[in-house]
Amino acid sequence: MRVTKHEHAALVVESGGSTLVIDPGGYTEPLTDLHDVVSVVITHEHADHWTPEHLDRILGAAGPVPIFGPAGVAAAASGYDITVVAPGDRVVVAPFTLEFFGGRHAVIHESIPVIDNVGVLVDDVFYYPGDSYAVPEGKSIALLAAPAGAPWLKIGEAMDFVLAVAPRRVFGTHDMTISDLGRRSARDRLAWAVEQHGGEFFELDPGDAIEL
């Protein structure tokens, strides 16, 4: 498995010649070099995690591949055929097996409604929580994409999330809302957290990839 980080929260997972796209949103450059896309996962409805332009581009090249997301995504992206998933669901889109966790977006402020959000576990080894600290209970995670910066994020809580998941490897994502100095600081904190369990932190910039 090969996981490539793109701008902000967008991730591309490749395995067995097939591609899974996760959260192609508004802070992400066009994903143009994709091959054999078999599915798209959208963790929640916010525009920094999906846009019609990204979906149209992906579907135009790949054809009518399944798009998975929670009920809030189905409502927001009503012009698309969204397969609704919820925490506990497990689906197979060969060669990928996807399992979903969490259910709710992290709280931004008491004045802002809390929306649906699902974390996704790919092939029981790679986990991305979307905009949440949902822990995939009972799972041994080989690679975690941990959020580094957001209006809802406190770095201490992100560190606690990494400590709770205890993955073998971590890289930072959801980071276009912070400066270069802020990104450096967040990476250092997440690195400390993963190292407490003997894990390793990887500094991935857009276009960088890690092999599993």
Side-chain angles (χ1 to χ4, degrees), residues 2-138:
R2 177 182 176 91
V3 179
T4 302
K5 172 184 164 53
H6 291 270
E7 290 84 5
H8 197 50
L11 303 165
V12 172
V13 184
E14 298 167 283
S15 180
S18 297
T19 299
L20 167 70
V21 179
I22 303 173
D23 280 1
Y27 298 160
T28 304
E29 293 295 319
L31 302 174
T32 56
D33 192 24
L34 300 176
H35 304 284
D36 299 305
V37 174
V38 296
S39 181
V40 178
V41 171
I42 301 172
T43 61
H44 64 283
E45 65 200 68
H46 287 159
D48 60 326
H49 290 256
W50 83 281
T51 67
E53 293 78 13
H54 274 299
L55 284 188
D56 289 346
R57 189 179 298 110
I58 293 167
L59 297 176
V65 300
I67 305 169
F68 297 99
V73 169
S78 58
Y80 298 89
D81 184 11
I82 307 295
T83 299
V84 173
V85 290
D89 288 349
R90 189 176 175 94
V91 299
V92 176
V93 185
F96 300 103
T97 299
L98 311 176
E99 189 171 356
F100 298 93
F101 295 84
R104 304 299 281 168
H105 192 288
V107 174
I108 301 171
H109 186 263
E110 63 182 11
S111 66
I112 300 174
V114 178
I115 62 171
D116 295 332
N117 177 94
V118 289
V120 59
L121 176 62
V122 183
D123 291 349
D124 288 318
V125 293
F126 170 54
Y127 183 62
Y128 167 60
D131 281 12
S132 80
Y133 300 123
V135 174
E137 299 289 352

Side-chain angles (χ1 to χ4, degrees), residues 186-211:
R187 286 175 170 179
D188 288 345
R189 300 299 185 185
L190 296 177
W192 176 90
V194 71
E195 289 166 1
Q196 301 313 296
H197 294 286
E200 185 177 4
F201 185 83
F202 288 78
E203 295 192 5
L204 300 187
D205 293 317
D208 291 344
I210 186 170
E211 302 278 352

